[in-house]
Amino acid sequence: MIELEEAVMEIIMNAGQSRSLCFEALHSARQGNIEEAKLLLHEADGYAREAHKMQTKLIEQDAGEAKQPMTLIMVHAQDHLMTSMLARELSNEIIHLYQR
């Protein structure tokens, strides 16, 4: 069984790193470094995958039976994950615009 606090911190750290890399990618694209921006997005994807894997483990552990307590820190972790996913999608679109 996964410890909730450990799982939540892993989601927050990985999602946060993914989001930070997305913004680094945007900065690189704005400077004209499109290839570097793409590499940074690729790196961001790895962190996002790790955060998503942990989220999936928690969902599986819960099995739809409300076994996991819904805490403020859990909501915070979910917020980080969703924000990083949105940052990734928007960053990709903005980098395409810079590329033109």
Side-chain angles (χ1 to χ4, degrees):
M1 188 161 167
I2 302 165
E3 287 293 324
L4 184 62
E5 188 174 318
E6 181 183 321
V8 166
M9 291 311 296
E10 187 171 326
I11 292 169
I12 290 171
M13 288 186 306
N14 283 312
Q17 185 62 27
S18 178
R19 182 181 172 277
S20 293
L21 287 164
C22 287
F23 282 96
E24 283 184 45
L26 286 173
H27 179 75
S28 291
R30 189 171 59 238
Q31 301 298 320
N33 300 321
I34 301 301
E35 290 309 311
E36 180 181 338
K38 289 179 181 180
L39 288 172
L40 288 164
L41 286 183
H42 181 71
E43 186 178 352
D45 289 343
Y47 286 99
R49 256 189 311 281
E50 291 304 311
H52 192 261
K53 278 186 208 176
M54 184 54 69
Q55 179 197 42
T56 301
K57 286 179 185 178
L58 287 175
I59 290 168
E60 289 170 350
Q61 187 171 297
D62 188 65
E65 298 177 12
K67 295 176 187 175
Q68 293 288 349
M70 185 52 61
T71 63
L72 184 57
I73 193 74
M74 174 62 85
V75 172
H76 183 64
Q78 290 298 113
D79 184 46
H80 268 274
L81 181 55
M82 296 306 298
T83 302
S84 71
M85 291 169 73
L86 180 60
R88 172 59 175 91
E89 291 173 27
L90 288 173
S91 294
N92 192 54
E93 293 302 317
I94 293 168
I95 289 167
H96 280 297
L97 292 174
Y98 278 124
Q99 195 170 11
R100 289 183 184 182

